[in-house]
Amino acid sequence: MSAPAHDPDLRAAQPEHSRRALLAGSVGNFIEWYEFGVYGYFATVIAARFFTPEGGSEVEGLVKTYASFALAFFFRPVGAALFGRLGDRIGRRPVLILVIVLMTAATTLIGALPTYATVGALAPWLLTFLRVLQGLSAGGEFGGAVSVMTEFAPPGRRGLYGSWQSFTVALGLLGGAGVAALLATVLDARALEAWGWRLPFLLTLPLGLGALWLRLRLDETPSFRRESAGEEARERPPRREVARAITLGAARVMGWAAAGYTFLVVLPSYLQSSLNASFRQALLATVLANLGFALTIVPAGLLSDRVGRRPVMLTGAVLVTVLAVPLLNLLQEPGASNAVKGAAVLVAGAVVGLMAGPGPAMLSEMFPTSVRYTGLGLAYALSNAVFSGCAGLIITETIKRTGSVDIPGYYAAATCAVSVLALATLGRRPRTLVKSQEIQRS
């Protein structure tokens, strides 16, 4: 399948502008997912520092930690709507600058927060407030970053360019896991729990300043400039049609969202609390899962430019549906070798990458320029709010109530099964936005 020749977003852009857009759009995603990964990897430590008063239950503290995690995700759609409308009205560049400042400030401050032992019940509230700010900024990040990457993409390369958003997610999670593993190696458990956990959050400050510098040098996208200059009609589809497209887009990526967070972020706490793995073992498994994820993302995006988004994403969703529980059972098997268990988590990450690679371009192509920032941002944020943000909470609480350690596999498989149905419609022109020829692939 090929893009229409008259697609205005696919007119050739300056190569240096395309590369700059790729870097500036990617760096915010790296920081966002680095922090979210760090929060997940240190969930048990954060639970003890902020959510577990003296004499409190460790499991209850972990559930509260994941509740704060989920709350931040539920503010993503708010951020997507707020910053998306701004980005569709005043431009992608100024809004992306604003969200990187907000994200950097909130994440850095987490590393400086007083704990429950110092300020009592105020500590979890302060942490939750900063998580809300992170959720707002993350909601505004995805739509703008993907809009910039795909609107600057050369002809026939949207899948490849969009895949870099997902690739930097993998890099961010790997970066967070690497920093956590390094600290767990060089610090003893007492130092790590006392102050070492703060260092990954404080590291966000120099990363954020570098991202800000890149975005200050970013140009506005060609399609937004043309629309603002009146060279193209400013097409705004009816709200009902946009809402339908957002709902369909969210269903198409829900498996990616749920399986991604299950295998890439929740895994460390699951291995520690349910399978009695050590912190180092859990982090090693997570690094392998994220490595598998990273290895397939860009090839999957590139392949989707050649054969279409549907076959690549469907393959990933079907594989997770079929393999999630068997792969999890391998981790639970006492007789399985470390090599076999390592291969299991590597494969789990790799199949999620098949959905994540083409996913950003697929969402971008569902919306015209005038509502793209808002539309694709909301579709992604809504799916992540429900199926990523709640993953840790749902899995931990369900295991607690049922005693079944297979819950993560069932969760990933069920959500991907729904995505299979939604992805089956991909490749047809949506009835809702059929007039938006510029964003469709035939």
Side-chain angles (χ1 to χ4, degrees), residues 55-128:
S57 164
E58 291 185 6
V59 174
E60 182 181 352
L62 187 58
V63 169
K64 289 179 179 178
T65 302
Y66 278 129
S68 174
F69 197 74
L71 182 64
F73 270 88
F74 276 101
F75 274 87
R76 284 188 172 209
V78 179
L82 173 64
F83 293 116
R85 284 183 63 84
L86 281 175
D88 285 329
R89 290 178 181 274
I90 68 174
R92 285 66 164 117
R93 177 182 179 273
V95 178
L96 282 175
I97 290 171
L98 176 60
V99 296
I100 198 64
V101 170
L102 182 61
M103 183 189 305
T104 301
T107 304
T108 303
L109 286 172
I110 286 179
L113 280 181
T115 64
Y116 201 103
T118 304
V119 296
L122 181 62
W125 285 107
L126 289 174
L127 177 61
T128 300

Coordinates of all heavy atoms in Angstrom, one line a residue, residues 55-128:
G55 N 4.6 0.0 60.8 CA 3.6 -1.0 61.1 C 2.6 -1.3 60.0 O 1.8 -2.2 60.1
G56 N 2.7 -0.6 58.9 CA 1.7 -0.8 57.8 C 2.1 -2.0 57.0 O 3.2 -2.5 57.0
S57 N 1.1 -2.5 56.2 CA 1.3 -3.6 55.3 C 2.1 -3.3 54.1 O 1.8 -2.3 53.4 CB 0.0 -4.2 54.9 OG 0.1 -5.1 53.8
E58 N 3.1 -4.1 53.7 CA 3.9 -3.8 52.5 C 3.1 -4.0 51.3 O 3.2 -3.2 50.3 CB 5.1 -4.8 52.5 CG 6.1 -4.6 53.5 CD 7.3 -5.5 53.4 OE1 7.4 -6.2 52.4 OE2 8.2 -5.4 54.2
V59 N 2.2 -5.0 51.2 CA 1.3 -5.1 50.1 C 0.4 -4.0 49.9 O 0.2 -3.4 48.8 CB 0.5 -6.5 50.2 CG1 -0.5 -6.6 49.0 CG2 1.5 -7.6 50.2
E60 N -0.2 -3.5 51.0 CA -1.1 -2.3 51.0 C -0.3 -1.1 50.5 O -0.8 -0.3 49.7 CB -1.7 -2.1 52.3 CG -2.6 -0.9 52.4 CD -3.2 -0.6 53.8 OE1 -2.9 -1.5 54.7 OE2 -3.9 0.4 53.9
G61 N 0.9 -0.9 50.9 CA 1.7 0.2 50.4 C 2.0 0.1 49.0 O 2.0 1.1 48.2
L62 N 2.3 -1.1 48.5 CA 2.5 -1.3 47.0 C 1.3 -1.0 46.2 O 1.4 -0.3 45.1 CB 3.0 -2.7 46.8 CG 3.5 -3.0 45.3 CD1 4.6 -2.1 44.9 CD2 3.9 -4.5 45.2
V63 N 0.1 -1.4 46.7 CA -1.1 -1.1 46.0 C -1.3 0.4 45.9 O -1.7 1.0 44.9 CB -2.3 -1.8 46.7 CG1 -3.6 -1.3 46.2 CG2 -2.2 -3.3 46.5
K64 N -1.1 1.1 47.0 CA -1.2 2.6 47.0 C -0.2 3.2 46.1 O -0.5 4.3 45.4 CB -1.0 3.1 48.5 CG -2.1 2.8 49.4 CD -1.9 3.3 50.8 CE -3.0 3.0 51.8 NZ -2.7 3.5 53.1
T65 N 1.0 2.7 46.0 CA 2.0 3.2 45.1 C 1.5 3.1 43.6 O 1.6 4.0 42.8 CB 3.3 2.4 45.2 OG1 3.8 2.5 46.6 CG2 4.4 3.0 44.3
Y66 N 0.9 1.9 43.3 CA 0.4 1.8 42.0 C -0.9 2.6 41.7 O -1.2 3.0 40.6 CB 0.1 0.3 41.7 CG 1.3 -0.5 41.3 CD1 1.7 -1.7 41.9 CD2 2.1 0.0 40.3 CE1 2.8 -2.4 41.6 CE2 3.3 -0.7 39.9 CZ 3.6 -1.9 40.5 OH 4.7 -2.6 40.2
A67 N -1.6 2.9 42.8 CA -2.8 3.8 42.7 C -2.3 5.2 42.3 O -2.9 5.8 41.4 CB -3.6 3.8 44.0
S68 N -1.2 5.6 42.9 CA -0.7 6.9 42.5 C -0.2 6.9 41.0 O -0.3 7.8 40.3 CB 0.5 7.3 43.4 OG 1.2 8.4 43.0
F69 N 0.4 5.7 40.7 CA 0.9 5.5 39.3 C -0.3 5.6 38.3 O -0.2 6.3 37.3 CB 1.5 4.1 39.3 CG 2.3 3.8 38.1 CD1 3.6 4.3 38.0 CD2 1.9 3.0 37.1 CE1 4.4 4.0 36.9 CE2 2.7 2.7 36.0 CZ 4.0 3.2 35.9
A70 N -1.4 5.0 38.7 CA -2.6 5.0 37.8 C -3.2 6.4 37.7 O -3.6 6.8 36.7 CB -3.6 4.0 38.4
L71 N -3.2 7.1 38.9 CA -3.8 8.5 38.9 C -3.1 9.4 37.9 O -3.7 10.1 37.1 CB -3.7 9.1 40.3 CG -4.3 10.5 40.4 CD1 -5.8 10.4 40.2 CD2 -4.0 11.0 41.8
A72 N -1.8 9.3 37.8 CA -1.0 10.1 36.8 C -1.4 9.7 35.4 O -1.6 10.6 34.5 CB 0.5 9.8 37.0
F73 N -1.7 8.5 35.1 CA -2.2 8.1 33.8 C -3.5 8.6 33.5 O -3.9 8.9 32.3 CB -2.2 6.5 33.7 CG -0.9 6.0 33.2 CD1 0.2 5.7 34.1 CD2 -0.6 5.8 31.8 CE1 1.4 5.2 33.6 CE2 0.6 5.3 31.4 CZ 1.6 5.0 32.3
F74 N -4.4 8.7 34.5 CA -5.7 9.2 34.2 C -5.7 10.7 34.0 O -6.7 11.3 33.5 CB -6.7 8.9 35.4 CG -7.3 7.5 35.3 CD1 -6.8 6.5 36.0 CD2 -8.3 7.3 34.4 CE1 -7.3 5.2 35.9 CE2 -8.8 6.0 34.2 CZ -8.3 4.9 35.0
F75 N -4.7 11.4 34.3 CA -4.5 12.8 33.9 C -3.9 13.0 32.5 O -3.9 14.1 32.0 CB -3.7 13.6 35.0 CG -4.6 14.1 36.1 CD1 -4.8 13.3 37.2 CD2 -5.1 15.3 36.1 CE1 -5.6 13.7 38.3 CE2 -5.9 15.8 37.1 CZ -6.2 15.0 38.2
R76 N -3.5 11.9 32.0 CA -2.9 12.0 30.6 C -4.0 12.5 29.6 O -3.7 13.3 28.8 CB -2.4 10.7 30.2 CG -1.0 10.4 30.8 CD -0.4 9.1 30.2 NE 0.9 8.9 30.6 CZ 1.9 8.3 29.9 NH1 1.6 7.8 28.7 NH2 3.1 8.1 30.3
P77 N -5.2 11.9 29.6 CA -6.2 12.4 28.7 C -6.5 13.9 28.9 O -6.8 14.6 27.9 CB -7.5 11.5 29.0 CG -6.9 10.3 29.6 CD -5.7 10.7 30.3
V78 N -6.5 14.3 30.1 CA -6.7 15.8 30.4 C -5.6 16.6 29.7 O -5.9 17.6 29.1 CB -6.8 16.0 31.9 CG1 -7.0 17.5 32.2 CG2 -7.9 15.2 32.6
G79 N -4.4 16.1 29.9 CA -3.2 16.8 29.3 C -3.3 16.7 27.7 O -3.0 17.7 27.0
A80 N -3.7 15.6 27.2 CA -3.9 15.4 25.8 C -4.9 16.4 25.2 O -4.7 17.0 24.1 CB -4.2 14.0 25.4
A81 N -6.0 16.5 25.9 CA -7.1 17.4 25.4 C -6.6 18.9 25.5 O -6.8 19.7 24.6 CB -8.3 17.2 26.2
L82 N -6.0 19.3 26.7 CA -5.6 20.6 26.9 C -4.5 21.1 26.0 O -4.6 22.1 25.3 CB -5.2 20.8 28.4 CG -4.5 22.1 28.8 CD1 -5.5 23.2 28.7 CD2 -4.0 22.0 30.2
F83 N -3.4 20.3 26.0 CA -2.2 20.7 25.2 C -2.5 20.4 23.7 O -1.9 21.0 22.8 CB -1.0 20.0 25.7 CG -0.5 20.4 27.0 CD1 -0.5 19.5 28.1 CD2 -0.1 21.7 27.3 CE1 -0.1 19.9 29.4 CE2 0.3 22.1 28.5 CZ 0.3 21.2 29.6
G84 N -3.3 19.4 23.5 CA -3.7 19.1 22.1 C -4.4 20.2 21.4 O -4.1 20.6 20.2
R85 N -5.4 20.8 22.1 CA -6.1 21.9 21.5 C -5.2 23.1 21.3 O -5.2 23.8 20.2 CB -7.3 22.3 22.4 CG -8.4 21.4 22.3 CD -9.6 21.9 23.2 NE -10.1 23.1 22.7 CZ -11.0 23.3 21.8 NH1 -11.5 22.2 21.1 NH2 -11.5 24.5 21.4
L86 N -4.3 23.3 22.2 CA -3.3 24.4 22.0 C -2.4 24.1 20.8 O -2.1 25.0 20.0 CB -2.4 24.5 23.3 CG -3.0 25.3 24.5 CD1 -2.1 25.2 25.7 CD2 -3.3 26.8 24.1
G87 N -1.9 22.8 20.7 CA -1.0 22.5 19.7 C -1.7 22.6 18.3 O -1.0 22.9 17.3
D88 N -3.0 22.3 18.2 CA -3.7 22.4 16.9 C -4.0 23.8 16.6 O -4.4 24.1 15.4 CB -5.0 21.5 17.0 CG -4.7 20.0 16.9 OD1 -3.7 19.7 16.2 OD2 -5.5 19.3 17.5
R89 N -4.0 24.7 17.6 CA -4.3 26.1 17.3 C -3.1 27.0 17.2 O -3.0 27.8 16.3 CB -5.2 26.7 18.5 CG -6.6 26.1 18.5 CD -7.4 26.6 19.7 NE -8.7 26.0 19.8 CZ -9.8 26.5 19.1 NH1 -9.6 27.6 18.3 NH2 -10.9 25.9 19.2
I90 N -2.1 26.9 18.1 CA -0.9 27.8 18.0 C 0.3 27.1 17.5 O 1.3 27.8 17.3 CB -0.7 28.4 19.4 CG1 -0.2 27.3 20.4 CG2 -1.9 29.1 20.0 CD1 0.3 27.9 21.7
G91 N 0.3 25.8 17.3 CA 1.5 25.1 16.7 C 2.0 24.1 17.6 O 1.8 24.1 18.9
R92 N 2.8 23.1 17.0 CA 3.3 22.0 17.8 C 4.5 22.5 18.6 O 4.7 22.1 19.8 CB 3.8 20.9 16.8 CG 2.7 20.0 16.2 CD 1.8 20.8 15.2 NE 1.0 19.9 14.4 CZ -0.3 19.7 14.4 NH1 -1.0 20.5 15.3 NH2 -0.9 18.9 13.6
R93 N 5.4 23.3 18.0 CA 6.6 23.7 18.7 C 6.4 24.4 20.1 O 7.0 23.9 21.1 CB 7.4 24.7 17.8 CG 8.7 25.2 18.4 CD 9.4 26.1 17.4 NE 10.6 26.7 18.0 CZ 10.7 27.7 18.8 NH1 9.6 28.4 19.1 NH2 11.8 28.2 19.3
P94 N 5.6 25.5 20.2 CA 5.5 26.1 21.5 C 4.9 25.2 22.6 O 5.3 25.3 23.8 CB 4.6 27.3 21.3 CG 3.9 27.0 20.0 CD 4.8 26.2 19.2
V95 N 4.0 24.3 22.2 CA 3.4 23.4 23.2 C 4.4 22.3 23.6 O 4.5 22.0 24.8 CB 2.1 22.8 22.6 CG1 1.5 21.8 23.7 CG2 1.1 23.9 22.3
L96 N 5.2 21.8 22.7 CA 6.2 20.8 23.1 C 7.3 21.4 24.0 O 7.8 20.7 24.9 CB 6.8 20.2 21.9 CG 6.0 19.2 21.1 CD1 6.7 18.8 19.8 CD2 5.8 18.0 22.0
I97 N 7.6 22.7 23.8 CA 8.5 23.4 24.8 C 7.9 23.5 26.2 O 8.5 23.2 27.2 CB 8.8 24.8 24.2 CG1 9.7 24.7 23.0 CG2 9.5 25.6 25.3 CD1 9.9 26.0 22.3
L98 N 6.6 23.8 26.2 CA 5.9 23.9 27.5 C 5.9 22.6 28.2 O 6.1 22.5 29.5 CB 4.5 24.5 27.3 CG 3.6 24.6 28.5 CD1 4.2 25.5 29.5 CD2 2.2 25.1 28.1
V99 N 5.5 21.5 27.5 CA 5.4 20.2 28.2 C 6.7 19.7 28.7 O 6.7 19.0 29.8 CB 4.6 19.2 27.4 CG1 3.2 19.7 27.1 CG2 5.4 18.9 26.1
I100 N 7.8 20.0 28.0 CA 9.1 19.4 28.5 C 9.5 20.2 29.7 O 10.1 19.6 30.6 CB 10.2 19.5 27.4 CG1 11.4 18.6 27.7 CG2 10.7 20.9 27.2 CD1 11.0 17.2 27.7
V101 N 9.2 21.5 29.9 CA 9.5 22.2 31.1 C 8.7 21.7 32.3 O 9.3 21.4 33.4 CB 9.2 23.7 30.9 CG1 9.3 24.5 32.2 CG2 10.2 24.3 29.9
L102 N 7.4 21.4 32.1 CA 6.6 20.9 33.1 C 7.0 19.5 33.5 O 7.1 19.2 34.7 CB 5.1 20.9 32.6 CG 4.1 20.4 33.6 CD1 4.0 21.3 34.8 CD2 2.7 20.4 33.0
M103 N 7.3 18.7 32.6 CA 7.7 17.3 32.9 C 9.0 17.3 33.6 O 9.2 16.5 34.6 CB 7.9 16.5 31.6 CG 8.2 15.0 31.7 SD 8.6 14.3 30.2 CE 7.2 14.6 29.2
T104 N 10.0 18.1 33.2 CA 11.3 18.1 33.9 C 11.2 18.6 35.3 O 11.8 18.0 36.2 CB 12.3 19.0 33.1 OG1 12.4 18.5 31.7 CG2 13.7 19.0 33.7
A105 N 10.4 19.6 35.5 CA 10.3 20.2 36.9 C 9.7 19.2 37.8 O 10.1 19.0 38.9 CB 9.5 21.5 36.8
A106 N 8.6 18.6 37.4 CA 7.8 17.6 38.2 C 8.7 16.4 38.6 O 8.7 16.0 39.8 CB 6.5 17.2 37.6
T107 N 9.4 15.9 37.6 CA 10.2 14.7 37.9 C 11.4 15.0 38.8 O 11.7 14.2 39.7 CB 10.7 14.1 36.5 OG1 9.6 13.8 35.7 CG2 11.5 12.8 36.7
T108 N 12.0 16.1 38.5 CA 13.2 16.5 39.4 C 12.8 16.7 40.8 O 13.5 16.2 41.8 CB 13.8 17.8 38.9 OG1 14.2 17.6 37.5 CG2 15.1 18.1 39.7
L109 N 11.6 17.3 41.0 CA 11.1 17.5 42.4 C 10.8 16.2 43.2 O 10.9 16.2 44.4 CB 9.9 18.4 42.4 CG 10.2 19.9 42.1 CD1 8.9 20.7 41.9 CD2 11.0 20.5 43.2
I110 N 10.4 15.2 42.4 CA 10.2 13.9 43.1 C 11.4 13.4 43.8 O 11.4 12.9 45.0 CB 9.7 12.8 42.1 CG1 8.2 13.1 41.7 CG2 9.8 11.4 42.7 CD1 7.7 12.1 40.7
G111 N 12.6 13.7 43.2 CA 13.8 13.3 43.8 C 14.2 14.1 45.1 O 15.1 13.7 45.8
A112 N 13.5 15.2 45.3 CA 13.8 16.0 46.4 C 12.7 16.0 47.5 O 12.8 16.7 48.5 CB 14.0 17.5 46.0
L113 N 11.7 15.2 47.3 CA 10.6 15.2 48.3 C 10.9 14.6 49.6 O 11.7 13.6 49.7 CB 9.4 14.3 47.7 CG 8.5 15.0 46.6 CD1 7.4 14.0 46.2 CD2 7.9 16.2 47.2
P114 N 10.4 15.1 50.7 CA 10.5 14.5 52.0 C 9.6 13.2 52.1 O 8.6 13.1 51.4 CB 10.0 15.6 53.0 CG 9.0 16.4 52.2 CD 9.6 16.4 50.8
T115 N 10.0 12.2 52.9 CA 9.3 11.0 53.0 C 8.3 11.0 54.1 O 8.2 12.0 54.8 CB 10.3 9.8 53.2 OG1 11.0 10.0 54.4 CG2 11.4 9.8 52.1
Y116 N 7.6 9.9 54.2 CA 6.6 9.7 55.3 C 7.2 9.9 56.6 O 6.6 10.5 57.5 CB 5.9 8.4 55.1 CG 4.5 8.3 55.8 CD1 3.4 8.3 55.0 CD2 4.4 8.2 57.2 CE1 2.1 8.3 55.6 CE2 3.2 8.1 57.8 CZ 2.0 8.2 57.0 OH 0.8 8.1 57.6
A117 N 8.4 9.4 56.8 CA 9.1 9.5 58.1 C 9.4 10.9 58.5 O 9.5 11.2 59.7 CB 10.3 8.7 58.1
T118 N 9.4 11.8 57.5 CA 9.8 13.2 57.8 C 8.6 14.1 58.0 O 8.5 14.9 58.9 CB 10.7 13.8 56.7 OG1 11.8 12.9 56.5 CG2 11.1 15.2 56.9
V119 N 7.6 14.0 57.1 CA 6.5 14.9 57.1 C 5.1 14.2 57.3 O 4.1 14.8 57.1 CB 6.4 15.8 55.8 CG1 7.6 16.7 55.8 CG2 6.3 14.9 54.6
G120 N 5.2 12.9 57.5 CA 3.9 12.1 57.7 C 3.1 12.0 56.5 O 3.5 11.8 55.4
A121 N 1.7 12.2 56.7 CA 0.8 11.9 55.7 C 0.8 12.9 54.5 O 0.3 12.7 53.5 CB -0.7 11.9 56.3
L122 N 1.6 14.0 54.7 CA 1.8 15.0 53.6 C 2.6 14.4 52.5 O 2.4 14.8 51.3 CB 2.4 16.3 54.2 CG 2.7 17.4 53.2 CD1 1.3 17.9 52.6 CD2 3.4 18.5 53.9
A123 N 3.5 13.5 52.8 CA 4.4 12.9 51.8 C 3.7 12.3 50.6 O 4.0 12.6 49.5 CB 5.4 12.0 52.5
P124 N 2.8 11.3 50.9 CA 2.1 10.7 49.7 C 1.3 11.7 48.9 O 1.2 11.6 47.7 CB 1.2 9.7 50.3 CG 1.1 10.0 51.7 CD 2.3 10.7 52.1
W125 N 0.7 12.8 49.5 CA 0.0 13.8 48.8 C 0.9 14.6 47.9 O 0.5 15.0 46.8 CB -0.8 14.7 49.8 CG -2.0 14.0 50.4 CD1 -2.1 13.6 51.7 CD2 -3.2 13.7 49.7 NE1 -3.4 13.0 51.8 CE2 -4.1 13.1 50.7 CE3 -3.7 14.0 48.4 CZ2 -5.3 12.7 50.4 CZ3 -5.0 13.5 48.1 CH2 -5.8 12.9 49.1
L126 N 2.1 15.0 48.4 CA 3.0 15.7 47.6 C 3.5 14.9 46.4 O 3.5 15.4 45.3 CB 4.2 16.1 48.4 CG 4.0 17.2 49.5 CD1 5.3 17.4 50.3 CD2 3.6 18.5 48.9
L127 N 3.8 13.6 46.6 CA 4.2 12.8 45.5 C 3.0 12.6 44.5 O 3.3 12.7 43.3 CB 4.5 11.4 46.1 CG 4.9 10.3 45.0 CD1 6.1 10.7 44.3 CD2 5.2 9.0 45.7
T128 N 1.8 12.4 45.0 CA 0.7 12.3 44.1 C 0.5 13.6 43.2 O 0.2 13.5 42.0 CB -0.6 11.9 44.9 OG1 -0.4 10.7 45.6 CG2 -1.8 11.8 43.9

